Coordinates of all heavy atoms in Angstrom, one line a residue:
M19 N -27.8 -8.5 11.7 CA -26.9 -7.4 11.6 C -26.9 -7.0 10.1 O -26.6 -7.8 9.2 CB -25.5 -7.9 12.1 CG -24.6 -6.8 12.3 SD -23.2 -7.6 13.1 CE -22.2 -6.2 13.5
T20 N -27.1 -5.7 9.8 CA -27.0 -5.2 8.4 C -25.8 -4.3 8.2 O -25.2 -3.8 9.2 CB -28.3 -4.5 8.1 OG1 -28.4 -3.3 8.9 CG2 -29.5 -5.3 8.2
G21 N -25.5 -4.1 7.0 CA -24.4 -3.2 6.7 C -23.5 -3.8 5.7 O -23.6 -5.0 5.3
T22 N -22.6 -3.0 5.2 CA -21.7 -3.5 4.1 C -20.3 -3.6 4.7 O -19.8 -2.8 5.5 CB -21.7 -2.5 3.0 OG1 -23.0 -2.2 2.5 CG2 -20.8 -3.0 1.8
H23 N -19.6 -4.7 4.4 CA -18.3 -4.9 4.8 C -17.3 -3.9 4.1 O -17.4 -3.8 2.9 CB -17.8 -6.3 4.6 CG -16.4 -6.6 4.8 ND1 -15.9 -6.6 6.1 CD2 -15.4 -6.8 4.0 CE1 -14.6 -6.8 6.0 NE2 -14.2 -6.9 4.7
V24 N -16.5 -3.2 4.8 CA -15.5 -2.3 4.2 C -14.2 -2.9 4.5 O -13.7 -3.0 5.7 CB -15.7 -0.9 4.9 CG1 -14.6 0.0 4.3 CG2 -17.1 -0.3 4.6
P25 N -13.4 -3.3 3.5 CA -12.1 -3.8 3.7 C -11.1 -2.8 4.2 O -11.1 -1.7 3.7 CB -11.7 -4.4 2.3 CG -12.6 -3.8 1.3 CD -13.8 -3.3 2.1
L26 N -10.4 -3.1 5.2 CA -9.4 -2.2 5.8 C -8.0 -2.6 5.5 O -7.7 -3.8 5.4 CB -9.6 -2.1 7.3 CG -11.0 -1.6 7.9 CD1 -11.0 -1.7 9.4 CD2 -11.2 -0.2 7.4
R27 N -7.1 -1.7 5.3 CA -5.7 -1.9 5.1 C -4.9 -1.0 5.9 O -5.4 0.1 6.4 CB -5.3 -1.8 3.6 CG -6.1 -2.7 2.7 CD -5.7 -4.1 2.9 NE -6.3 -5.0 1.9 CZ -7.5 -5.7 2.1 NH1 -8.1 -5.5 3.2 NH2 -8.0 -6.5 1.2
R28 N -3.6 -1.3 6.1 CA -2.8 -0.5 7.0 C -1.7 0.1 6.2 O -1.0 -0.5 5.4 CB -2.2 -1.3 8.1 CG -1.5 -0.6 9.2 CD -1.1 -1.5 10.3 NE -2.2 -2.3 10.9 CZ -3.0 -1.9 11.9 NH1 -2.9 -0.7 12.4 NH2 -3.9 -2.6 12.4
C29 N -1.4 1.4 6.4 CA -0.3 2.1 5.7 C 1.0 1.5 6.2 O 1.2 1.2 7.4 CB -0.3 3.6 6.1 SG 1.1 4.5 5.4
R30 N 1.9 1.1 5.2 CA 3.1 0.5 5.5 C 4.1 1.3 6.4 O 4.9 0.8 7.1 CB 3.8 0.1 4.2 CG 5.2 -0.3 4.2 CD 5.4 -1.7 4.6 NE 6.8 -2.0 4.7 CZ 7.3 -3.2 4.5 NH1 6.4 -4.2 4.2 NH2 8.5 -3.5 4.5
I31 N 3.9 2.7 6.2 CA 4.9 3.6 6.9 C 4.4 4.0 8.3 O 5.0 3.8 9.3 CB 5.1 4.8 6.0 CG1 5.6 4.4 4.7 CG2 6.1 5.8 6.7 CD1 6.9 3.5 4.7
C32 N 3.2 4.6 8.4 CA 2.7 5.2 9.6 C 1.8 4.3 10.4 O 1.4 4.6 11.5 CB 2.1 6.6 9.4 SG 0.5 6.5 8.5
R33 N 1.4 3.1 9.7 CA 0.6 2.1 10.4 C -0.9 2.5 10.7 O -1.6 1.8 11.4 CB 1.2 1.6 11.7 CG 2.7 1.2 11.5 CD 3.0 0.1 10.6 NE 2.4 -1.2 11.2 CZ 2.2 -2.3 10.5 NH1 2.5 -2.3 9.2 NH2 1.7 -3.3 11.0
V34 N -1.3 3.6 10.1 CA -2.7 4.0 10.3 C -3.6 3.0 9.5 O -3.2 2.6 8.4 CB -3.0 5.5 9.9 CG1 -2.8 5.7 8.4 CG2 -4.3 6.0 10.3
Q35 N -4.7 2.7 10.0 CA -5.6 1.7 9.4 C -6.8 2.5 8.8 O -7.4 3.3 9.5 CB -6.1 0.7 10.3 CG -6.9 -0.4 9.7 CD -7.2 -1.5 10.7 OE1 -7.2 -1.4 11.9 NE2 -7.5 -2.7 10.1
R36 N -7.1 2.3 7.5 CA -8.2 3.0 6.8 C -8.8 2.1 5.8 O -8.3 1.0 5.5 CB -7.6 4.2 6.1 CG -7.0 5.3 7.0 CD -6.8 6.6 6.2 NE -6.4 7.6 7.2 CZ -5.5 8.5 6.9 NH1 -5.0 8.6 5.7 NH2 -5.1 9.4 7.8
P37 N -10.0 2.5 5.3 CA -10.6 1.7 4.2 C -9.7 1.6 3.0 O -9.0 2.6 2.7 CB -11.9 2.5 3.9 CG -12.2 3.3 5.1 CD -10.9 3.6 5.7
K38 N -9.7 0.5 2.4 CA -8.8 0.2 1.3 C -8.9 1.3 0.2 O -7.9 1.7 -0.4 CB -9.1 -1.2 0.7 CG -8.3 -1.6 -0.5 CD -8.7 -3.0 -0.9 CE -8.0 -3.3 -2.2 NZ -8.4 -4.6 -2.7
S39 N -10.1 1.7 0.0 CA -10.4 2.7 -1.1 C -9.7 4.1 -0.8 O -9.5 4.9 -1.7 CB -11.9 2.9 -1.3 OG -12.5 3.4 -0.1
N40 N -9.3 4.4 0.5 CA -8.7 5.6 0.8 C -7.2 5.6 0.8 O -6.5 6.6 1.1 CB -9.2 6.0 2.2 CG -10.6 6.4 2.3 OD1 -11.3 6.4 1.2 ND2 -11.1 6.7 3.4
L41 N -6.6 4.4 0.5 CA -5.2 4.2 0.5 C -4.7 4.0 -1.0 O -5.5 3.6 -1.8 CB -4.7 3.1 1.3 CG -5.1 3.2 2.8 CD1 -4.8 1.8 3.5 CD2 -4.3 4.3 3.4
T42 N -3.4 4.3 -1.2 CA -2.8 4.0 -2.5 C -2.0 2.7 -2.4 O -1.3 2.5 -1.5 CB -1.8 5.2 -2.8 OG1 -2.5 6.4 -2.8 CG2 -1.2 5.0 -4.2
R43 N -2.3 1.9 -3.4 CA -1.6 0.5 -3.4 C -0.4 0.5 -4.4 O -0.5 1.1 -5.5 CB -2.6 -0.5 -3.9 CG -2.0 -2.0 -3.8 CD -3.1 -3.0 -4.1 NE -2.6 -4.3 -3.8 CZ -2.2 -5.2 -4.7 NH1 -2.1 -4.8 -6.0 NH2 -1.8 -6.4 -4.3
W44 N 0.6 -0.1 -3.9 CA 1.9 -0.3 -4.7 C 2.2 -1.7 -4.7 O 2.0 -2.5 -3.8 CB 3.0 0.5 -4.0 CG 2.7 1.9 -3.8 CD1 2.0 2.5 -2.7 CD2 3.1 3.0 -4.6 NE1 2.0 3.9 -2.9 CE2 2.6 4.2 -4.0 CE3 3.8 3.1 -5.8 CZ2 2.8 5.5 -4.6 CZ3 4.0 4.3 -6.4 CH2 3.5 5.5 -5.8
T45 N 2.9 -2.1 -5.8 CA 3.4 -3.5 -5.9 C 4.8 -3.4 -6.5 O 5.2 -2.4 -7.1 CB 2.5 -4.4 -6.9 OG1 2.5 -3.7 -8.2 CG2 1.1 -4.6 -6.4
V46 N 5.5 -4.5 -6.2 CA 6.9 -4.6 -6.8 C 6.9 -5.5 -8.0 O 6.5 -6.7 -7.8 CB 7.9 -5.1 -5.7 CG1 9.3 -5.3 -6.3 CG2 7.9 -4.1 -4.5
R47 N 7.2 -5.0 -9.1 CA 7.3 -5.7 -10.4 C 8.7 -5.6 -10.9 O 9.1 -4.5 -11.2 CB 6.3 -5.2 -11.4 CG 4.8 -5.0 -10.9 CD 4.0 -6.2 -11.0 NE 4.0 -6.7 -12.4 CZ 3.2 -7.7 -12.7 NH1 2.4 -8.2 -11.9 NH2 3.3 -8.2 -14.0
E48 N 9.4 -6.8 -11.1 CA 10.7 -6.8 -11.6 C 11.6 -5.8 -10.8 O 12.4 -5.0 -11.4 CB 10.7 -6.5 -13.1 CG 10.0 -7.5 -13.9 CD 9.9 -7.2 -15.4 OE1 10.6 -6.3 -15.8 OE2 9.1 -7.8 -16.1
D49 N 11.5 -5.9 -9.5 CA 12.3 -5.1 -8.6 C 12.1 -3.6 -8.7 O 12.9 -2.8 -8.3 CB 13.8 -5.4 -8.7 CG 14.2 -6.7 -8.2 OD1 13.5 -7.2 -7.3 OD2 15.1 -7.3 -8.7
V50 N 10.9 -3.2 -9.2 CA 10.6 -1.8 -9.3 C 9.2 -1.5 -8.6 O 8.3 -2.2 -8.9 CB 10.5 -1.3 -10.8 CG1 10.0 0.1 -10.9 CG2 11.8 -1.5 -11.5
L51 N 9.2 -0.6 -7.7 CA 8.0 -0.2 -7.0 C 7.1 0.5 -8.0 O 7.4 1.5 -8.6 CB 8.3 0.7 -5.8 CG 7.1 1.0 -4.9 CD1 6.6 -0.3 -4.2 CD2 7.5 2.0 -3.8
T52 N 5.8 -0.1 -8.2 CA 4.9 0.4 -9.2 C 3.6 0.8 -8.6 O 3.0 0.0 -7.8 CB 4.7 -0.6 -10.3 OG1 6.0 -1.1 -10.8 CG2 3.9 -0.1 -11.4
L53 N 3.0 1.9 -9.0 CA 1.7 2.3 -8.5 C 0.7 1.3 -9.1 O 0.7 1.0 -10.3 CB 1.4 3.7 -9.0 CG 0.1 4.3 -8.6 CD1 -0.1 4.4 -7.1 CD2 -0.1 5.7 -9.2
D54 N -0.3 0.9 -8.3 CA -1.3 0.0 -8.7 C -2.7 0.8 -8.6 O -3.4 0.6 -7.7 CB -1.3 -1.3 -7.9 CG -2.4 -2.3 -8.3 OD1 -3.0 -2.1 -9.4 OD2 -2.6 -3.3 -7.6
D55 N -2.9 1.6 -9.7 CA -4.1 2.4 -9.7 C -5.4 1.7 -9.5 O -6.3 2.1 -8.7 CB -4.2 3.2 -11.0 CG -3.2 4.4 -11.0 OD1 -2.9 4.9 -10.0 OD2 -2.8 4.7 -12.2
L56 N -5.6 0.5 -10.1 CA -6.8 -0.2 -10.1 C -6.9 -1.2 -8.9 O -7.9 -1.8 -8.6 CB -7.0 -1.0 -11.4 CG -7.1 -0.1 -12.6 CD1 -7.2 -1.0 -13.9 CD2 -8.3 0.9 -12.5
Q57 N -5.8 -1.3 -8.2 CA -5.6 -2.2 -7.0 C -6.0 -3.6 -7.3 O -6.6 -4.3 -6.6 CB -6.5 -1.7 -5.8 CG -6.1 -0.3 -5.4 CD -6.7 0.1 -4.1 OE1 -7.7 -0.5 -3.6 NE2 -6.2 1.2 -3.5
V58 N -5.5 -4.1 -8.5 CA -5.8 -5.5 -8.9 C -4.5 -6.2 -9.4 O -4.6 -7.4 -9.7 CB -6.8 -5.5 -10.1 CG1 -8.2 -5.0 -9.6 CG2 -6.4 -4.7 -11.3
T59 N -3.4 -5.6 -9.4 CA -2.2 -6.3 -9.8 C -1.9 -7.4 -8.9 O -1.9 -7.3 -7.7 CB -1.0 -5.3 -9.8 OG1 -1.3 -4.2 -10.6 CG2 0.3 -5.9 -10.3
P60 N -1.6 -8.6 -9.5 CA -1.3 -9.8 -8.6 C 0.0 -9.5 -7.8 O 0.9 -8.8 -8.3 CB -1.1 -10.9 -9.6 CG -1.0 -10.4 -10.9 CD -1.5 -9.0 -10.9
G61 N 0.2 -10.2 -6.7 CA 1.4 -10.1 -5.9 C 1.1 -9.3 -4.7 O 0.0 -8.8 -4.4
R62 N 2.2 -9.2 -3.9 CA 2.1 -8.5 -2.6 C 1.9 -7.0 -2.8 O 2.7 -6.4 -3.5 CB 3.5 -8.8 -1.9 CG 3.6 -8.1 -0.5 CD 2.7 -8.7 0.5 NE 3.0 -8.3 1.8 CZ 2.4 -7.3 2.5 NH1 1.4 -6.7 1.9 NH2 2.7 -7.0 3.7
G63 N 0.9 -6.5 -2.1 CA 0.7 -5.1 -2.2 C 1.1 -4.3 -1.0 O 1.0 -4.9 0.1
Y64 N 1.5 -3.1 -1.2 CA 1.9 -2.2 0.0 C 1.1 -1.0 -0.2 O 0.8 -0.5 -1.3 CB 3.4 -1.9 -0.1 CG 4.3 -3.1 -0.1 CD1 4.8 -3.6 -1.3 CD2 4.6 -3.7 1.1 CE1 5.6 -4.7 -1.3 CE2 5.4 -4.9 1.1 CZ 5.9 -5.4 -0.1 OH 6.7 -6.5 -0.1
Y65 N 0.6 -0.5 1.0 CA -0.3 0.6 1.0 C 0.3 1.9 1.6 O 1.1 1.7 2.6 CB -1.6 0.3 1.7 CG -2.4 -0.8 1.0 CD1 -2.2 -2.1 1.2 CD2 -3.4 -0.4 0.0 CE1 -2.9 -3.1 0.5 CE2 -4.1 -1.4 -0.6 CZ -3.9 -2.7 -0.4 OH -4.6 -3.6 -1.1
S66 N 0.0 3.0 1.1 CA 0.4 4.3 1.7 C -0.8 5.2 1.8 O -1.7 5.2 1.0 CB 1.5 5.0 0.8 OG 1.0 5.3 -0.4
C67 N -0.8 6.0 2.9 CA -1.9 6.9 3.1 C -1.8 8.3 2.6 O -2.8 9.0 2.5 CB -2.2 6.9 4.6 SG -1.0 7.7 5.6
S68 N -0.5 8.7 2.4 CA -0.3 10.1 1.9 C 0.9 10.2 1.0 O 1.7 9.2 0.9 CB -0.1 11.0 3.2 OG 1.2 10.6 3.8
E69 N 1.1 11.3 0.4 CA 2.3 11.6 -0.4 C 3.6 11.4 0.4 O 4.5 10.9 -0.1 CB 2.2 13.0 -1.0 CG 3.3 13.3 -2.0 CD 3.3 12.4 -3.2 OE1 2.2 12.1 -3.7 OE2 4.4 12.1 -3.7
K70 N 3.5 11.9 1.6 CA 4.7 11.8 2.5 C 5.1 10.3 2.7 O 6.2 9.9 2.6 CB 4.4 12.5 3.8 CG 5.6 12.5 4.8 CD 5.2 13.2 6.1 CE 6.3 13.0 7.1 NZ 6.0 13.7 8.4
C71 N 4.1 9.5 3.1 CA 4.4 8.1 3.3 C 4.8 7.4 2.0 O 5.6 6.5 2.0 CB 3.1 7.4 3.9 SG 2.8 7.8 5.6
A72 N 4.2 7.8 0.9 CA 4.6 7.2 -0.4 C 6.1 7.5 -0.8 O 6.7 6.7 -1.4 CB 3.7 7.8 -1.5
Q73 N 6.6 8.6 -0.3 CA 8.0 9.0 -0.6 C 8.9 8.1 0.2 O 10.0 7.8 -0.2 CB 8.2 10.5 -0.3 CG 7.6 11.4 -1.4 CD 7.7 12.8 -1.0 OE1 8.3 13.2 0.0 NE2 7.2 13.7 -1.9
I74 N 8.5 7.7 1.4 CA 9.3 6.9 2.3 C 9.2 5.4 2.0 O 10.2 4.7 2.2 CB 8.8 7.1 3.8 CG1 9.0 8.6 4.2 CG2 9.6 6.3 4.8 CD1 8.4 9.0 5.5
L75 N 8.1 5.0 1.3 CA 7.9 3.6 1.1 C 9.0 2.9 0.4 O 9.4 1.8 0.8 CB 6.6 3.5 0.2 CG 6.1 2.1 0.0 CD1 5.8 1.3 1.3 CD2 4.9 2.1 -0.9
P76 N 9.6 3.4 -0.7 CA 10.7 2.7 -1.4 C 11.9 2.4 -0.4 O 12.5 1.3 -0.5 CB 11.2 3.6 -2.5 CG 10.0 4.5 -2.8 CD 9.3 4.6 -1.4
R77 N 12.2 3.3 0.4 CA 13.3 3.1 1.4 C 13.0 2.0 2.4 O 13.8 1.2 2.8 CB 13.7 4.4 2.1 CG 14.3 5.4 1.2 CD 14.8 6.6 2.0 NE 13.7 7.2 2.8 CZ 13.3 8.4 2.6 NH1 13.9 9.3 1.8 NH2 12.3 8.9 3.4
S78 N 11.7 1.9 2.8 CA 11.3 0.9 3.8 C 11.4 -0.5 3.2 O 11.6 -1.4 3.9 CB 9.9 1.2 4.3 OG 8.9 0.8 3.5
L79 N 11.1 -0.6 1.9 CA 11.1 -1.9 1.3 C 12.6 -2.4 1.0 O 12.9 -3.5 1.1 CB 10.4 -1.9 -0.1 CG 8.9 -1.6 0.1 CD1 8.2 -1.5 -1.3 CD2 8.2 -2.6 0.9
K80 N 13.5 -1.5 0.7 CA 14.9 -1.8 0.5 C 15.5 -2.4 1.7 O 16.3 -3.3 1.7 CB 15.7 -0.6 0.0 CG 15.4 -0.3 -1.5 CD 16.2 0.9 -2.0 CE 15.8 1.2 -3.4 NZ 16.5 2.4 -3.9
S81 N 15.1 -1.8 2.9 CA 15.7 -2.3 4.2 C 15.2 -3.7 4.5 O 15.9 -4.4 5.3 CB 15.3 -1.3 5.3 OG 13.9 -1.4 5.5
K82 N 14.2 -4.2 3.9 CA 13.6 -5.5 4.2 C 14.2 -6.6 3.3 O 14.0 -7.8 3.5 CB 12.1 -5.6 4.1 CG 11.4 -4.6 5.0 CD 11.6 -5.0 6.5 CE 10.9 -4.0 7.4 NZ 11.3 -4.2 8.7
R83 N 15.0 -6.2 2.3 CA 15.5 -7.2 1.3 C 16.8 -7.7 1.7 O 17.6 -7.2 2.3 CB 15.5 -6.6 -0.1 CG 14.1 -6.4 -0.6 CD 14.2 -5.8 -2.0 NE 12.8 -5.6 -2.4 CZ 12.5 -5.7 -3.6 NH1 13.3 -6.0 -4.6 NH2 11.2 -5.5 -4.0

């Protein structure tokens, strides 16, 4: 079997699954939701697929704390 493995991640808000490179990664640093442009910041990452989902993301995280 040939081919390249493509890591998949799921949008935290709408639950759509896409290649990691097509999603925006966010992390929580010192209780502040921060964009992780390079997708390398240590810690728990949250992914969003669109601007709309990115706007909802902070509210979804506050409800889990």
Side-chain angles (χ1 to χ4, degrees):
M19 195 172 186
T20 61
T22 307
H23 172 72
V24 177
L26 298 175
R27 300 293 183 268
R28 191 175 303 276
C29 175
R30 167 78 180 210
I31 303 305
C32 69
R33 310 296 293 162
V34 67
Q35 190 173 19
R36 294 196 177 142
K38 181 179 173 182
S39 60
N40 292 356
L41 298 172
T42 304
R43 184 174 191 261
W44 303 85
T45 57
V46 177
R47 309 272 308 186
E48 299 176 9
D49 290 331
V50 176
L51 187 63
T52 307
L53 180 64
D54 183 8
D55 285 332
L56 300 177
Q57 298 190 350
V58 295
T59 303
R62 177 71 166 99
Y64 302 98
Y65 293 88
S66 63
C67 67
S68 67
E69 183 66 34
K70 181 180 175 183
C71 287
Q73 290 175 355
I74 299 170
L75 186 60
R77 292 186 303 239
S78 80
L79 297 176
K80 286 181 183 178
S81 67
K82 300 295 180 190
R83 291 179 181 215

